Amino acid sequence: CSSDLVAYLISQRKRVMMVTGDNALAAQRVAAEVGILPCDVEACCMPADKERIVSREQAAGRKVAFIGDGINDSPALAQANLGIALGAGTDIAIECADAVLMHDSLSDILAFFSLSATVVRRIRLNFAWALCYNLVMVPVAAGILYPIAGQSLPPVAAGVAMICSSLSVLASSLALRCFKRPTFPTVGLNNGKVTAGQLEDITDERARLTQADVNANKHRSTGG
């Protein structure tokens, strides 16, 4: 559920905010149910306000991922470092987003982050493998072994070696089809409510993140 997702993201040192056009009372009530701190709730926001909030967080040196599905979310989706739209959202929100979740379940966000990290790792692996392979095989195909062994690599063998390089990278990429959707641990919420102890833990974690941001800004302002 949403409360488990929020608690998990905070435990992973992610700041979770609610930016909504609804009134403050409704926003605070929903935030309390899912575990978002009152100080991280922005209510009664117009589209320009949402974009301004994203810009404010970016100016503080943070990387912002914004999730939305409505027309009012479009400016913020375009401004964020990563805009994520829901598949059932409006066309303009989907157009402005960098990624689209095919289902309306927020738990798909974790699968999205996990798959993205897996793809990036696989790209780096393919680059490293292709580089090493070519660093070895190109000199061999060019005849570097001829002075030593008295023979060079036949053109047919060189062509086969090149095909094997491409096939190995292709096979590595196709292995992404074996990706399994990750699961995240629940945090023992009480019927979707955040208990006092859990709220205290979340508050402490939020305070640590805020202090880390302050220290980082001081470090940048002093020139390193």
Side-chain angles (χ1 to χ4, degrees), residues 17-57:
M17 297 182 63
M18 175 187 291
V19 183
T20 178
D22 294 335
N23 65 74
L25 182 61
Q28 291 289 352
R29 180 175 180 179
V30 173
E33 290 182 354
V34 300
I36 299 176
L37 298 180
C39 60
D40 286 334
V41 177
E42 300 280 355
C44 303
C45 294
M46 300 296 289
D49 297 327
K50 296 181 179 182
E51 183 180 11
R52 174 183 54 80
I53 292 170
V54 172
S55 299
R56 181 192 69 194
E57 297 300 317

Side-chain angles (χ1 to χ4, degrees), residues 24-121:
L25 182 61
Q28 291 289 352
R29 180 175 180 179
V30 173
E33 290 182 354
V34 300
I36 299 176
L37 298 180
C39 60
D40 286 334
V41 177
E42 300 280 355
C44 303
C45 294
M46 300 296 289
D49 297 327
K50 296 181 179 182
E51 183 180 11
R52 174 183 54 80
I53 292 170
V54 172
S55 299
R56 181 192 69 194
E57 297 300 317
Q58 291 173 328
R62 302 184 181 96
K63 300 295 184 181
V64 180
F66 190 92
I67 305 168
D69 61 354
I71 296 176
N72 294 340
D73 298 322
S74 301
L77 287 169
Q79 176 64 35
N81 299 96
L82 174 62
I84 303 175
L86 301 180
T90 60
D91 292 339
I92 188 171
I94 293 175
E95 183 68 23
C96 293
D98 300 299
V100 179
L101 301 180
M102 300 308 297
H103 305 287
D104 292 337
S105 174
L106 291 179
S107 62
D108 287 347
I109 296 172
L110 297 182
F112 167 74
F113 286 144
S114 179
L115 178 59
S116 299
T118 300
V119 170
V120 171
R121 287 196 300 268

